[in-house]
Amino acid sequence: MKSMKTRTGLVALAIALPLSLAACGSSSDNTASAGAGSTPAATSSDAMTSTPSDTMTSSESMDAAAAVFGEGCAAVPKDGAGSFNGMATEPVATAASANPLLSTLVTAVKTAGLVDTLNSAPEITVFAPVNDAFAKIPAADLKKVLADKPTLTKILTNHVVAGKLSPDQLAGDHKTLAGTTITVKGSGENFTVGKADAKVICGNVPTANATVYIIDGVLMP
């Protein structure tokens, strides 16, 4: 009897031991599962940290304002479509139309039918006369020019050259879309343009397809 009890106890022990090991293994698996489950949490965290792409986009937009130079830049709106950041996202004629400093130029461009030409150009540099530049022209003469489309077109395209010119490429002779050549003198942040030595008052303004240099004079062919 005693030996039977002993055998029965051994059998029970033999059965219990694998069960307890299985239970340990199950607990271990659960811990491993929890560890595996932490991976999506890390992925989620990574996904959250990817949102700074929006910040990068914002920073890139802010670079539009950071790149400009000249005392006249202070008069450009700080925000909205006419700001540097707003202009950077639009083709040049559309961008200029939102900037209150360039309203007379925009009127002339529309009158000459050059909006689509300028907006569709792949890469250009535009020397954009500020409103006060046109105000220097006697009113009767300006009215006459606005009524003469071929002459107006010649004058306006005399302000446009091929390629986006950075400040370090600006000095020198440049062929215009009018077929003429204009000379830019200066360096750094001080430049004059053309025979009248029109001063760049706000330079290196980016638009979607052009670099704009706002000047204080009209460049006659």
Side-chain angles (χ1 to χ4, degrees):
M1 290 287 292
K2 187 174 180 179
S3 68
M4 280 183 68
K5 287 182 180 178
T6 302
R7 268 197 221 107
T8 303
L10 289 172
V11 170
L13 182 60
I15 293 170
L17 186 58
L19 288 173
S20 98
L21 289 173
C24 288
S26 172
S27 170
S28 211
D29 290 343
N30 289 340
T31 305
S33 295
S38 68
T39 303
T43 304
S44 172
S45 174
D46 290 344
M48 289 178 65
T49 58
S50 69
T51 53
S53 63
D54 294 336
T55 305
M56 288 175 63
T57 302
S58 174
S59 296
E60 288 169 358
S61 294
M62 289 175 64
D63 286 343
V68 302
F69 65 85
E71 58 189 20
C73 295
V76 174
K78 302 299 181 188
D79 50 37
S83 67
F84 296 121
N85 293 342
M87 291 178 69
T89 64
E90 299 289 349
V92 63
T94 302
S97 69
N99 189 320
L101 299 180
L102 303 175
S103 57
T104 305
L105 173 63
V106 170
T107 296
V109 168
K110 289 179 179 177
T111 301
L114 291 173
V115 172
D116 290 341
T117 300
L118 295 178
N119 276 349
S120 61
E123 286 194 351
I124 52 176
T125 294
V126 177
F127 296 98
V130 73
N131 292 341
D132 288 345
F134 286 99
K136 296 175 185 177
I137 302 173
D141 293 345
L142 182 59
K143 185 176 180 180
K144 184 178 179 180
V145 168
L146 289 172
D148 183 347
K149 190 172 179 178
T151 299
L152 180 61
T153 300
K154 178 90 170 177
I155 293 171
L156 293 175
T157 52
N158 191 55
H159 292 72
V160 184
V161 303
K164 289 183 177 182
L165 298 178
S166 61
D168 60 351
Q169 299 172 316
L170 201 55
D173 294 332
H174 305 284
K175 189 170 183 178
T176 72
L177 297 192
T180 58
T181 298
I182 57 172
T183 300
V184 180
K185 295 176 285 187
S187 62
E189 296 185 356
N190 297 297
F191 295 96
T192 57
V193 187
K195 294 174 287 188
D197 289 331
K199 183 180 178 182
V200 174
I201 60 172
C202 184
N204 204 31
V205 179
T207 73
N209 69 322
T211 300
V212 176
Y213 291 87
I214 299 174
I215 56 177
D216 67 357
V218 177
L219 308 176
M220 302 305 289

